[in-house]
Amino acid sequence: MLEQLRSAIRDVPDYPKPGIVFKDISTILNNPELYRASIELMVEPFKGRENLYIAGIEARGFIFGAAMADRLGAAFVPVRKAGKLPWKTRAVSYALEYGEDTLEIHVDAIPEGADVVVVDDLLATGGTVGAVLELLETSKVNVIGVSFLVELEFLEGRKKLGGAPVHSVLKF
């Protein structure tokens, strides 16, 4: 199944800018068998855990994270861009290649001491996920893992994750 998932991912050259080869996962999302398989592989290390929270990063982390939460019987917590959540929030700002961005979670979304898995579709440079880990640290929770469908190993994003256990289904 790993080879089927790998071969289904479409490379889009020069997107979003020249020199970048974008890994398009929409080809997996529109194939029910591959999508189900990707979720099964992403949840594998976390099966059997109780009182688990899945923190999905906007937007593609929602696609995988919500399905993972359902499969694991876990709570789903959206990590959103600034101004998108309607209640009191905790926020973290972080640097991007072209500026700065801010992510937020509700202050009451995850109880202190809870076990959390952070989910996104792809690990590249690790900046966004690193910021989410920083945000969760202020929430005093226990991050038991970070789960991705795809990891671009050559970008060394793991180095920005402070030793958090990383589970990637496919590595390029």
Side-chain angles (χ1 to χ4, degrees):
M1 184 53 68
L2 287 177
E3 197 46 49
Q4 287 176 293
L5 286 167
R6 181 182 302 282
S7 65
I9 294 174
R10 175 175 37 215
D11 284 346
V12 180
D14 298 322
Y15 182 82
K17 62 184 187 180
I20 304 260
V21 178
F22 184 83
K23 297 291 187 192
D24 181 9
I25 60 147
S26 67
T27 50
I28 288 174
L29 300 177
N30 68 20
N31 180 316
E33 180 185 347
L34 293 179
Y35 179 57
R36 274 191 300 276
S38 67
I39 298 302
E40 273 306 310
L41 291 164
M42 289 177 77
V43 302
E44 190 59 39
F46 312 107
K47 286 183 176 175
R49 306 276 312 212
E50 293 185 18
N51 301 315
L52 188 62
Y53 288 76
I54 304 294
I57 302 172
E58 187 170 354
R60 290 182 301 260
F62 293 0
I63 295 167
F64 292 97
M68 288 174 66
D70 178 65
R71 197 76 45 90
L72 292 167
F76 178 75
V77 177
V79 179
R80 303 227 40 204
K81 293 183 184 205
K84 300 286 185 177
L85 292 171
W87 186 244
K88 297 172 192 167
T89 62
R90 282 193 179 88
V92 63
S93 295
Y94 63 103
L96 299 168
E97 293 174 24
Y98 49 86
E100 189 175 273
D101 208 351
T102 301
L103 293 169
E104 299 178 331
I105 62 169
H106 281 137
V107 295
D108 59 355
I110 307 171
E112 198 172 297
D115 289 342
V116 179
V117 176
V118 177
V119 176
D120 208 354
D121 67 323
L122 185 136
L123 174 60
T125 63
T128 301
V129 178
V132 171
L133 293 173
E134 181 183 326
L135 178 61
L136 290 172
E137 187 176 307
T138 67
S139 301
K140 299 179 182 161
V141 300
N142 179 31
V143 176
I144 63 165
V146 186
S147 187
F148 304 96
L149 176 62
V150 174
E151 178 178 355
L152 303 178
E153 289 184 298
F154 65 95
L155 293 174
E156 301 181 330
R158 283 180 187 240
K159 290 182 177 179
K160 290 189 181 170
L161 306 186
V166 176
H167 171 66
S168 301
V169 173
L170 300 170
K171 297 176 183 177
F172 291 89

